[in-house]
Amino acid sequence: MKAGLIRCMQTEEVCPASRCLESMLHKKDAFAGVEGDVVCVGVSTCGGCPGKKAGFRAKKMVERGAEAIVVASCITLGTPINFPCPFAKKMKVSIREAVGENIRIFEYSHEPSRKKATQTAVR
């Protein structure tokens, strides 16, 4: 399956999308049970709050071969900053309207990290 990834513009400064891409490559989390390989054909942001460019950008990925659109975990689950997008539902509706009913939409890409942050002594 060829998939396009839509991620949060706010979190791209702190997240290189490596967990999203790893989940696709190794078919973990949202991609568990997907038949065949998952190939990322594009990565884009929502365009910034309120995510009004997400539908347009998803449509462009579909025009370039994406068979599915992944709404990244930074948008729907709030990873890594623990703040889900308040516009996520509206954004998903916009994406669905832009790409049509035949394109699969993944609600997230990966589970939140279970690692506990460790504190380092400051001297």
Side-chain angles (χ1 to χ4, degrees):
M1 169 181 36
K2 295 178 180 178
L5 178 68
I6 301 288
R7 58 192 303 230
C8 171
M9 191 168 140
Q10 296 287 327
T11 60
E12 75 176 343
E13 294 175 2
V14 296
C15 176
S18 53
R19 289 201 55 213
C20 293
L21 297 171
E22 178 185 340
S23 292
M24 286 182 184
L25 179 64
H26 299 292
K27 297 195 311 189
K28 299 186 315 186
D29 298 323
F31 308 98
V34 171
E35 296 289 325
D37 292 336
V38 179
V39 177
C40 183
V41 296
V43 178
S44 190
T45 69
C46 62
C49 299
K52 62 185 176 182
K53 293 181 182 177
F56 173 77
R57 291 176 176 182
K59 183 178 179 182
K60 288 297 177 188
M61 284 192 244
V62 169
E63 289 172 2
R64 290 175 171 93
E67 302 162 312
I69 297 296
V70 182
V71 181
S73 293
C74 51
I75 293 173
T76 56
L77 303 180
T79 61
I81 62 173
N82 200 29
F83 189 84
C85 175
F87 305 105
K89 287 182 184 179
K90 194 170 190 175
M91 197 181 314
K92 288 186 282 184
V93 169
S94 170
I95 291 169
R96 172 57 66 209
E97 288 173 353
V99 301
E101 294 296 321
N102 295 327
I103 299 297
R104 182 172 180 179
I105 297 177
F106 286 84
E107 301 280 326
Y108 73 107
S109 50
H110 60 82
E111 297 291 337
S113 176
R114 289 172 181 39
K115 295 178 183 177
K116 299 286 182 189
T118 58
Q119 291 185 333
T120 306
V122 178
R123 295 179 192 233

